[in-house]
């Protein structure tokens, strides 16, 4: 979103595209895969408002949409890549880096955030892997969130071909550390 400031009033006015950007999940829900002589084809079956915008998205992201529709379990990876402005090519650039999964927890708000960082705990790749408020979560909801986050980290590590991150996504330490945070703020809960 871009803004310009008017000289006389000092008011900021939005310029350019005023509509929110489309997300892969929204577009994919209006598409289907067709088998043709030349392979698979993404067909948009939407004719409602902003149909041309959907069509432009399909044209620009045909490969991602095809993969998304073929592998619905990878939806989190594609959404994370979209939010962090990553592609399979930009992820490959991090192949040799020593990356870790970092955990940031604010005891006052009870918001827990995880992400990918380098050895200096500088966040990499822009978007968190997980951001949750553990205040009202049950133990099972919390365990499922951790599992989903580790699956996402593993998928990112595979896309990067980064062995260091792959190790981090599979280690028991992450689960134990997050469990300790949960237990500290939910006294008297049974073990994982």
């Amino acid at each position: 979103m871009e803004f310009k400031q008017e000289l006389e009033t000092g008011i900021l006015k939005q310029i350019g595209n005023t509509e929110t950007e489309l997300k892969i999940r929204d577009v994919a829900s209006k598409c289907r895969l067709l088998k043709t002589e030349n392979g698979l084809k993404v067909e948009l079956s939407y004719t409602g408002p902003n149909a041309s915008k959907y069509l432009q998205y399909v044209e620009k992201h045909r490969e991602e949409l095809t993969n998304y529709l073929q592998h619905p379990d990878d939806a989190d990876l594609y959404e994370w890549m979209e939010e962090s402005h990553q592609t399979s090519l930009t992820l490959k650039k991090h192949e040799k880096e020593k990356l870790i999964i970092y955990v940031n927890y604010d005891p006052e708000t009870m918001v827990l955030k995880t992400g990918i960082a380098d050895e200096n705990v500088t966040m990499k790749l822009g978007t968190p892997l997980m951001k949750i408020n553990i205040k009202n979560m049950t133990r099972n909801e919390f365990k499922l969130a951790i599992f989903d986050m580790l699956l996402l980290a593993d998928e990112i590590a595979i896309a990067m071909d980064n062995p260091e991150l792959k190790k981090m996504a599979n280690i028991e330490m992450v689960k134990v550390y997050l469990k300790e945070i949960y237990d500290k703020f939910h006294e008297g809960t049974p073990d994982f």
Side-chain angles (χ1 to χ4, degrees):
M1 229 182 279
E2 289 183 72
F3 295 90
K4 69 175 182 179
Q5 192 169 17
E6 291 182 347
L7 284 176
E8 306 83 46
T9 61
I11 295 174
L12 290 176
K13 278 203 165 177
Q14 190 172 343
I15 57 171
N17 186 1
T18 57
E19 295 191 32
T20 56
E21 288 297 311
L22 295 174
K23 299 282 183 208
I24 194 166
R25 178 185 301 235
D26 303 329
V27 178
S29 70
K30 292 168 178 46
C31 293
R32 63 186 178 144
L33 281 178
L34 291 178
K35 205 169 197 168
T36 66
E37 295 170 358
N38 301 328
L40 291 173
K41 178 185 173 192
V42 176
E43 181 184 75
L44 178 67
S45 55
Y46 177 70
T47 56
N50 296 323
S52 63
K53 211 171 173 175
Y54 281 85
L55 192 56
Q56 286 174 353
Y57 187 97
V58 170
E59 293 302 319
K60 193 173 178 186
H61 302 280
R62 191 169 298 280
E63 187 178 332
E64 292 96 332
L65 278 165
T66 303
N67 288 335
Y68 186 98
L69 291 166
Q70 279 184 302
H71 309 284
D73 291 339
D74 294 344
D76 290 343
L77 174 63
Y78 288 107
E79 288 170 14
W80 179 86
M81 286 172 64
E82 193 171 60
E83 282 180 41
S84 59
H85 305 290
Q86 297 296 320
T87 65
S88 49
L89 291 175
T90 60
L91 283 178
K92 282 282 186 200
K93 292 178 183 174
H94 300 280
E95 179 181 2
K96 302 282 187 241
E97 289 182 52
K98 187 169 174 67
L99 298 173
I100 62 169
I101 295 175
Y102 80 91
V103 177
N104 183 346
Y105 180 69
D106 183 345
E108 288 179 22
T109 62
M110 294 182 82
V111 170
L112 186 139
K113 189 164 62 169
T114 63
I116 298 172
D118 61 18
E119 293 172 295
N120 302 320
V121 195
T122 303
M123 188 166 150
K124 292 280 201 179
L125 310 172
T127 303
L129 295 170
M130 171 177 79
K131 185 176 180 184
I132 57 174
N133 187 324
I134 68 170
K135 194 181 303 180
N136 300 317
M137 292 182 88
T138 66
R139 184 169 214 78
N140 280 341
E141 289 169 337
F142 184 70
K143 281 169 55 177
L144 185 60
I146 293 171
F147 181 73
D148 285 346
M149 182 270 297
L150 290 174
L151 272 177
L152 176 59
D154 189 57
E155 289 172 351
I156 294 166
I158 290 167
M160 279 181 187
D161 200 17
N162 186 307
E164 293 294 325
L165 185 59
K166 184 130 179 74
K167 279 188 238 168
M168 282 296 293
N170 289 318
I171 58 174
E172 197 67 18
M173 184 181 74
V174 175
K175 193 169 89 172
V176 170
Y177 179 64
L178 294 174
K179 174 186 157 312
E180 286 173 4
I181 291 172
Y182 185 89
D183 288 343
K184 186 172 180 180
F185 294 96
H186 291 86
E187 298 289 323
T189 52
D191 227 8
F192 251 39

